[in-house]
Structures are given as structure tokens and as C-alpha cells.
């Protein structure tokens, strides 16, 4: 067998993120977060207290040998490892993500596993990679038996949600979301850009990116984690407001509104910090999302609406308290 050559530069990076509310009554402190995310005994959990409480697990690797999804039906066998990790923000929002990168070409036949393990998070095709077709296939979900990076993320999330630290008593009801992403090469001398951000059915979001050659896949994963976190926050708060009987005068209705909206104030409103942990080179990718659809603009409108409703429903109670006894 020919000696191993260096891995060619990546022409595609892909991943998927699961985001959900941590099922516990009280948010975890930083020590408990480290215990929850201690996936490997040989590597420590990354902990940060600025600008907010944040914990991220070390990467774990999953070996794969299967076809890649592709939009043109081509069967491209690939071998390598998918990296997966989990993060907890303010002890309250849990994310599990899995990602990998692909070079333009790979060996004609499979190598020994040891040669793949020394390249964590790299999946090599056997032969040439049709990267545009594979990117579309990844974002579209692929066929049964193709590499499904979302299943790896979901497996990690399921493992964490069974941790004995969690009492399975979340402070409010919410739904998890999924964000699937693919990053293709940008044109020479062009910076990173978001080609498309899509809200699909079944809580799925897809992001198609263009990035300069050499952009680390881990940095792209961190950017997409950030997008997924803030999309989940928006989605969850919109659902809290949806269906609430606003503008009613009955005391029981007012109490119901306060009960429905208070969890947002207690657990979510302070979490909005776009780009907090995105690299300087990739931070500008938030700009188009702020312009259209306007993530922060929508968030600020929701926050103001919640605060206005809580203020309005507090006024009658305050007046009753100061009324003189007859």
C-alpha cells in the first residue's frame, strides 16, 4: 500500500445542532455544568463566566464508513470521524452538535483506522468529491443509509438528557430545534457569507455558507451553534406569546398571562448575546441576519411586549392594594 499523503484542503464542512431547554427546575451552576458535560476523562470541560456562564464539552469522535448524501443520487463512499460536542449556556439551554470536513479527493481504497483517527473530524471520500451535490444532499437530509450527522448529535443529546443531575422538571414547556449547515468555498479574495438561511418544517433550520479556504471547521461549528441558540430563543418566546389571551380584563385571565410570561423573564430574556463566542473573522456573518429577517429587532420587540404586558397586569393589583377600606 502506498504511504499516506497529507490530507488535501477541505472543500466542504457540514454539521447539525440540536438545541433544547435543559430539563431541570433550577439552572445548573458552573460546577454542575462541568459535571454534566464531562464526556472524556482525559480532557477538561471549557468553562467561561464572561460575558455569560458557558460550558462546552471536549470533542468526542464517531467513526463512520458509509455513503455521503448527494442531490444527484451519486453513491460516494466516505470514511473518517465525525466530531461531536455539547454546550450549556447559563445553565439553562443545552446544545449538542456534530460536524465534519471533507477534502476534494481521497484515497482510492480505505486506509487503516489509525490513519483516520489522527485526523479528527475529517471524513475522506474514496476518490473525488462532488462537493456541491454533497452539500445539497446534506442540507436536504439524504437517503436511508447515508451519513446522517444529525443522528450523531441526537445521540449525544439523548445521553446528556439522561444524566442523573437532571430532575426532569423544566420550568416551562418548549420544543427542541435542529439547525443543519453546510459551508462551501468562497470565491478567491472574498470573505465569508451566508447564502441562505431557511426555516423549514418540523423545527428544522438550514444554513448554507461560503467561507475562505482554511476556515477551521470548529469555528464554523461555533458560529452555527450561536445561530441555533438565538433562533431557539426567538422561536421559544414567540410560542410563549402565541395563544395567550392578551387584552382581557378578567382577573383569572390576567393571572394566566403573568404565569405564562414569567418564565421568559426568569429564564430567557438575559440570554440574548449574539456573536459572544464567534471568531472575529466569522462575526460579520451575523450582519445580514440582523438586517433581514432582523433577529435582534424581533427579539427586542418581543421583550418589550412581554414587559409591557407584565406592567399592565401589575397595575390593577397595585391599585387594589392602595384603595382605602370602605
Amino acid at each position: 500500500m502506498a504511504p499516506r499523503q497529507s490530507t488535501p484542503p477541505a472543500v466542504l464542512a457540514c454539521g447539525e445542532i440540536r438545541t433544547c431547554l435543559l430539563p431541570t427546575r433550577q439552572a445548573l451552576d458552573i460546577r454542575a455544568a462541568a459535571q454534566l458535560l464531562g464526556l472524556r476523562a482525559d480532557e477538561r470541560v471549557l468553562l467561561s463566566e464572561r460575558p455569560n456562564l458557558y460550558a462546552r464539552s471536549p470533542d468526542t469522535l464517531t467513526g463512520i464508513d458509509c455513503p455521503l448524501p448527494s442531490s444527484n443520487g451519486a453513491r460516494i463512499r466516505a470514511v473518517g470521524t465525525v466530531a461531536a460536542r455539547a454546550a450549556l449556556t447559563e445553565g439553562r439551554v443545552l446544545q449538542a452538535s456534530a460536524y465534519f470536513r471533507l477534502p476534494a479527493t481521497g484515497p482510492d481504497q480505505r486506509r487503516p483506522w489509525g490513519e483516520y483517527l489522527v485526523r479528527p473530524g475529517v471524513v475522506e471520500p474514496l476518490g473525488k468529491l462532488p462537493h456541491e451535490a454533497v452539500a445539497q444532499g446534506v442540507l436536504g437530509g439524504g437517503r436511508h443509509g447515508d451519513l446522517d450527522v444529525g443522528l450523531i448529535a441526537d445521540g449525544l443529546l439523548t445521553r446528556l438528557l439522561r444524566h442523573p443531575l437532571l430532575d426532569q422538571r423544566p420550568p416551562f414547556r418548549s420544543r427542541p430545534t435542529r439547525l443543519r449547515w453546510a459551508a462551501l468555498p468562497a470565491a478567491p479574495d472574498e470573505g465569508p457569507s451566508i447564502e441562505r438561511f431557511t426555516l423549514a418544517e418540523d423545527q428544522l433550520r438550514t444554513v448554507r455558507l461560503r467561507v475562505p479556504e482554511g476556515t477551521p471547521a470548529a469555528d464554523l461549528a461555533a458560529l452555527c451553534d450561536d445561530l441555533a441558540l438565538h433562533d431557539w430563543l426567538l422561536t421559544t418566546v414567540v410560542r410563549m406569546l402565541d395563544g395567550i389571551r392578551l387584552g382581557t380584563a378578567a382577573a383569572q385571565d390576567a393571572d394566566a398571562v403573568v404565569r405564562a410570561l414569567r418564565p421568559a423573564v426568569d429564564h430567557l430574556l438575559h440570554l440574548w448575546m449574539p456573536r459572544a463566542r464567534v471568531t472575529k473573522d466569522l462575526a460579520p456573518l451575523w450582519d445580514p441576519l440582523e438586517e433581514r429577517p432582523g433577529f435582534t429587532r424581533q427579539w427586542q420587540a418581543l421583550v418589550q411586549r412581554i414587559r409591557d404586558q407584565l406592567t399592565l397586569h401589575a397595575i390593577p393589583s397595585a391599585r387594589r392594594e392602595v384603595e382605602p377600606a370602605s
Side-chain angles (χ1 to χ4, degrees):
M1 183 176 291
R4 175 71 173 186
Q5 303 295 320
S6 60
T7 303
V11 294
L12 179 63
C14 306
E16 189 162 331
I17 303 136
R18 300 286 199 271
T19 305
C20 69
L21 181 71
L22 193 71
T24 183
R25 177 63 61 179
Q26 297 295 327
L28 298 188
D29 60 28
I30 202 71
R31 292 183 180 179
Q35 185 177 349
L36 174 71
L37 301 181
L39 302 180
R40 291 173 50 180
D42 62 335
E43 195 168 339
R44 300 176 65 179
V45 174
L46 173 68
L47 303 175
S48 174
E49 296 183 355
R50 300 290 185 274
N52 56 11
L53 293 179
Y54 177 81
R56 192 182 73 204
S57 76
D59 283 1
T60 61
L61 299 179
T62 300
I64 66 100
D65 181 349
C66 60
L68 294 169
S70 65
S71 60
N72 60 10
R75 302 291 286 181
I76 307 104
R77 181 183 172 190
V79 186
T81 59
V82 174
R85 64 190 185 188
L88 187 64
T89 301
E90 285 288 346
R92 180 51 72 195
V93 182
L94 179 64
Q95 294 182 282
S97 64
Y99 63 94
F100 61 95
R101 64 189 191 277
L102 286 152
T105 59
D108 293 331
Q109 56 185 322
R110 175 175 164 169
R111 303 282 187 171
W113 265 118
E115 298 192 19
Y116 296 104
L117 292 175
V118 297
R119 291 168 174 80
V122 175
V123 173
E124 290 186 345
L126 298 189
K128 188 176 180 180
L129 177 75
H131 55 277
E132 288 281 354
V134 171
Q136 293 179 38
V138 167
L139 295 177
R143 302 159 298 191
H144 179 71
D146 290 348
L147 172 59
D148 187 344
V149 71
L151 288 180
I152 297 175
D154 192 59
L156 176 57
L157 182 68
T158 300
R159 171 184 170 185
L160 292 171
L161 292 178
R162 294 172 177 169
H163 199 283
L165 275 174
L166 308 181
D167 60 21
Q168 307 301 325
R169 298 173 59 210
F172 59 92
R173 291 184 178 181
S174 65
R175 299 178 189 173
T177 57
R178 300 180 293 149
L179 186 144
R180 189 180 295 155
W181 60 272
L184 291 150
D189 302 322
E190 287 192 3
S193 62
I194 292 181
E195 284 192 333
R196 191 180 305 116
F197 182 92
T198 304
L199 301 181
E201 297 179 358
D202 195 28
Q203 321 307 319
L204 173 67
R205 288 83 172 98
T206 61
V207 182
R208 181 181 167 102
L209 305 145
R210 292 279 179 180
V211 296
E213 182 179 321
T215 302
D219 291 351
L220 291 168
L223 165 73
C224 293
D225 285 352
D226 195 49
L227 296 178
L229 170 66
H230 291 85
D231 172 77
W232 181 87
L233 289 170
L234 270 176
T235 302
T236 301
V237 173
V238 166
R239 287 179 182 143
M240 281 184 172
L241 285 163
D242 187 30
I244 294 178
R245 298 176 61 187
L246 301 179
T248 56
Q252 60 269 29
D253 293 331
D255 291 342
V257 169
V258 172
R259 286 195 303 271
L261 296 182
R262 182 168 180 174
V265 178
D266 291 342
H267 303 285
L268 301 181
L269 299 192
H270 62 292
L271 300 184
W272 192 263
M273 292 187 186
R275 307 181 230 214
R277 291 179 175 85
V278 177
T279 63
K280 182 179 179 181
D281 291 340
L282 296 177
L285 291 179
W286 258 98
D287 293 341
L289 296 177
E290 296 291 26
E291 294 173 7
R292 185 177 180 182
F295 270 46
T296 296
R297 185 167 61 249
Q298 183 183 6
W299 177 259
Q300 290 172 343
L302 291 170
V303 170
Q304 189 59 53
R305 190 180 181 197
I306 289 171
R307 288 174 174 165
D308 287 346
Q309 287 297 319
L310 294 177
T311 299
L312 285 172
H313 289 298
I315 290 173
S317 297
R319 286 177 175 172
R320 286 196 299 270
E321 290 175 4
V322 298
E323 284 178 355
S326 55

